[in-house]
Amino acid sequence: MSTDAPEPQAVCSPTTSSAIFIVATLKAGKESAEKVKNWCADIAAITRSVGKRVPAGNLSCVCGFSSSAWDVLFASPRPVSLHGFREFGVDGRRAISTPGDILLHIRADQMDLCFELVTQFTSVLGDAITVIDEVHGFRYFDMRSIIGFVDGTENPVGRKAANFTIVGDEDPAFSGGSYVLVQKYLHNMVAWNQLSVEAQEHVIGRKKLSDIELDESVKPSNSHSSLTTITKDGEEVKILRDNMPFGRPGAGEFGTFFIGYARSPEPLEQMLENMFVGKPPGNYDRLLDFSTAVTGNLFFVPSLDLLEELADR
């Protein structure tokens, strides 16, 4: 990206120990729309103000908008690849679409920073929005998911992270932006823990302790890692994941909040199709025998520059 390119939001922020994910719907009416648009110009300033209280806390915020919310709030022009969440799969194994107009992905090394920023944002927005889903995520031991395997091993880093996640010349009016897909998964930990470690490794496609990928000669074609590796024209196309475990052990709830960033929805949707439909069809991700997607949304994350400009659109 050139030095005069629009500044992206904190899509490629460093990994943190805590996060809060907010998915909200927009209340109908001009007054609510104007309140949200005005808030867009203040997001960065409010984040800086809260973050300055603990400079080493690595507080950041990413804000995205759904296709329908974009039409209501900002109209035309619109990001070229923004559309509603596309469902994949069959009954009993389906990536479902659920309501959601606005996404907030708030990260920090302290949960109190995340909590304070969400509190400030919801205070400003008031009844202009309705929070549909709020997930408080945490890092689990050495970067592991709730099912015990390291998560995000194949994430691109540095310049490659930006190349795979930030829109460029393919959509000049929205360069510096990003697409983000989110899903909340609930896991059947009783059934999962009944598997041997070796059986779990064949479901995931990696060694559980070392995180080393299984050799292609023994890795099943329906393993999670096999079906989420995307290639186009002979080259691997990566996404940037920042998944977080969440749960309520007392209620028997154990989950993963999946969040994936990319410069186009295409690789994100191809992964879901491979997982839920199968490659070839029927050869679906075995992890879905133990994990159920209960939400699904696609959003566009405008650049910081555009986010401020949208207040006046």
Side-chain angles (χ1 to χ4, degrees), residues 96-177:
I96 63 170
S97 173
T98 52
D101 293 322
I102 300 169
L103 169 72
L104 291 173
H105 178 196
I106 293 171
R107 289 173 274 191
D109 286 324
Q110 300 178 197
M111 180 54 79
D112 56 351
L113 283 169
C114 299
F115 184 90
E116 177 65 15
L117 189 55
V118 171
T119 301
Q120 293 294 335
F121 284 159
T122 53
S123 176
V124 171
L125 291 168
D127 62 0
I129 64 166
T130 300
V131 174
I132 296 297
D133 196 25
E134 177 176 341
V135 175
H136 293 218
F138 59 91
R139 289 293 169 202
Y140 195 50
F141 294 109
D142 47 341
M143 298 292 292
R144 294 181 185 269
S145 67
I146 210 79
I147 61 172
F149 284 76
V150 176
D151 204 351
T153 301
E154 295 300 322
N155 271 350
V157 297
R159 185 177 300 175
K160 287 186 177 180
N163 288 342
F164 281 117
T165 59
I166 306 302
V167 174
D169 294 339
E170 68 272 24
D171 192 4
F174 295 94
S175 63

Side-chain angles (χ1 to χ4, degrees), residues 152-222:
T153 301
E154 295 300 322
N155 271 350
V157 297
R159 185 177 300 175
K160 287 186 177 180
N163 288 342
F164 281 117
T165 59
I166 306 302
V167 174
D169 294 339
E170 68 272 24
D171 192 4
F174 295 94
S175 63
S178 185
Y179 293 88
V180 57
L181 188 148
V182 299
Q183 294 175 291
K184 186 165 74 172
Y185 285 87
L186 297 179
H187 308 301
N188 184 340
M189 293 302 295
V190 173
W192 177 253
N193 288 328
Q194 288 174 348
L195 297 181
S196 67
V197 170
E198 183 179 11
Q200 290 179 355
E201 290 174 343
H202 278 77
V203 171
I204 300 300
R206 289 183 173 275
K207 289 287 186 179
K208 191 170 187 177
L209 179 61
S210 68
D211 190 40
I212 302 299
E213 193 167 359
L214 297 182
D215 188 88
E216 292 296 330
S217 63
V218 298
K219 184 169 67 171
S221 61
N222 65 348

